[in-house]
Amino acid sequence: MADVAARVGVSRQLVSLVMNDSPGPSAPTRQRILQAAEELGYRADKAARMLRRARSRQVGVLFTMEHPLDVHLVEAVYPAAAALDYGVVLSALLATRGEREAIDDLLGLRCEALILIGLSAAAPSDLATVAERVPVVEIGQRTGAEGTDSVRTADADGVRKAVDHLAALGHRRIAHVDGGILPGAPERAGGYLDGMRAHGLASLADVLPGDYSEESGARAARALLAREVLPSAVITGNDQSALGLVETFVRANVRVPQDVSVVGYDDSRTARLSFLDLTSVRQDAALMAGLAVRAAAERLDDGRTRSAHLVLEPELAVRSSTAPPRPGLG
């Protein structure tokens, strides 16, 4: 800052006001200081600035790097946090890096609240302990940990809408590739079974194991191809699984939707790829991220202490991967 001040011919205190975006300096002076800082390669030390403040105003985000929806949510958290004057710190879950380590890293970086995306259902006791220290908001599921908030889509309703759509087209033999114990998967499988019962198709219910990956969709497709008769429609646990399913069908000369209609879940960018054009249950990533950041801010800035659990109604985005079954194949 002393170098910048000498270059412009102002005090170091004035440079500090400009670099901290504080009121006082005139617009021309501010511009001269910023230009000099750029020429000298000066960057404010955000870590040092944060240590001087009583509050960090940092929101920690724990996420996986396996599913497109997680990426959409992380992207949406940044503008939502900026709008409330919060910064964002990321911590990824990996096969070699568990939830406890990822959360501890965020707390060590003075994050005032945690937003958890894709957390396993096996950690509610840990979350309750963490929630005693900082606000915790789950996106995509509700583990039931005491003291936490959550924002999620009504997953069962979403899959029921997919079943309703296919049944209205005339499909009866509708299979489901589930997501195992991953977030939202049990609810989606339950919604599928409820939908089949509601349409008098319970005896035709057919659930294949999956895990939200392309390979699980491919495995399900191979299992279906090994049968004498294919279902006329398949609802997958997410769009990635649908992609693996469709790719495997195409290689086996099974056409989508002429031979089998396919519905995904999430309405991610994958679903909108022109060669896939997948009918999918939509989750509004921007809205979910915005509500999660707002929930954290309500606890930090407004003093809210009671838990809030927000459930959003999903919509079905209909595209060309679904169509009426061929006569006699419904």
Side-chain angles (χ1 to χ4, degrees):
M1 283 194 292
D3 292 340
V4 174
R7 169 73 69 95
V8 181
V10 297
S11 68
R12 180 171 174 166
Q13 289 73 19
L14 191 60
V15 173
S16 178
L17 289 174
V18 170
M19 302 312 295
N20 286 303
D21 199 23
S22 301
S26 67
T29 299
R30 188 180 298 274
Q31 181 59 37
R32 288 167 53 216
I33 290 173
L34 291 174
Q35 182 176 345
E38 183 67 26
E39 292 170 354
L40 292 170
Y42 172 77
R43 297 290 183 272
D45 188 338
K46 292 185 177 180
R49 185 189 305 168
M50 186 175 69
L51 287 172
R52 288 195 299 268
R53 297 190 314 201
R55 291 187 55 186
S56 71
R57 297 199 70 83
Q58 299 271 38
V59 174
V61 179
L62 181 149
F63 71 107
T64 73
M65 295 187 289
E66 297 182 356
H67 310 301
L69 182 67
D70 294 357
V71 177
H72 302 342
L73 288 166
V74 170
E75 289 176 347
V77 163
Y78 275 95
L84 297 176
D85 193 29
Y86 279 91
V88 176
V89 180
L90 300 181
S91 188
L93 281 173
L94 305 171
T96 57
R97 188 168 187 264
E99 293 148 352
R100 185 72 261 175
E101 182 181 357
I103 288 174
D104 285 345
D105 281 354
L106 292 173
L107 295 176
L109 291 168
R110 295 188 66 210
C111 290
E112 294 188 322
L114 301 182
I115 294 176
L116 310 181
I117 303 170
L119 187 69
S120 77
S125 59
D126 284 344
L127 287 189
T129 302
V130 174
E132 293 175 356
R133 299 174 59 186
V134 297
V136 173
V137 187
E138 300 175 73
I139 297 184
Q141 70 176 33
R142 176 182 175 183
T143 61
E146 186 175 353
T148 62
D149 298 330
S150 65
V151 180
R152 59 191 173 92
T153 299
D155 292 297
D157 291 349
V159 177
R160 277 197 293 267
K161 288 184 177 182
V163 175
D164 292 344
H165 167 67
L166 293 169
L169 291 174
H171 293 278
R172 292 174 49 79
R173 290 181 293 105
I174 305 169
H176 175 57
V177 183
D178 77 6
I181 61 171
L182 293 174
E187 291 79 9
R188 293 173 199 182
Y192 162 75
L193 295 173
D194 289 344
M196 294 294 280
R197 281 192 291 268
H199 289 280
L201 304 175
S203 63
L204 299 174
D206 184 8
V207 179
L208 293 90
D211 59 13
Y212 287 173
S213 68
E214 290 96 336
E215 182 54 36
S216 73
R219 284 196 305 268
R222 290 193 291 269
L224 293 172
L225 289 166
R227 300 178 182 179
E228 292 185 5
V229 180
L230 283 171
S232 66
V234 181
I235 301 170
T236 60
N238 73 342
D239 294 341
Q240 280 181 280
S241 180
L243 177 60
L245 182 95
V246 171
E247 287 179 340
T248 305
F249 278 160
V250 168
R251 291 194 185 99
N253 295 318
V254 174
R255 300 168 300 168
V256 176
Q258 293 90 338
D259 300 321
V260 180
S261 287
V262 179
V263 179
Y265 200 107
D266 288 338
D267 194 25
S268 64
R269 293 187 189 119
T270 298
R272 301 168 210 164
L273 294 171
S274 59
F275 67 86
L276 188 60
D277 203 35
L278 181 69
T279 294
S280 184
V281 179
R282 182 170 187 263
Q283 298 203 81
D284 191 330
L287 179 58
M288 294 170 76
L291 290 173
V293 173
R294 168 59 64 184
E298 285 175 354
R299 285 191 181 263
L300 292 169
D301 300 334
D302 303 336
R304 176 173 59 82
T305 57
R306 297 185 63 180
S307 291
H309 299 288
L310 307 175
V311 182
L312 309 181
E313 187 64 25
E315 299 176 357
L316 186 67
V318 178
R319 299 188 179 91
S320 65
S321 70
T322 52
R326 286 189 294 162
L329 296 181

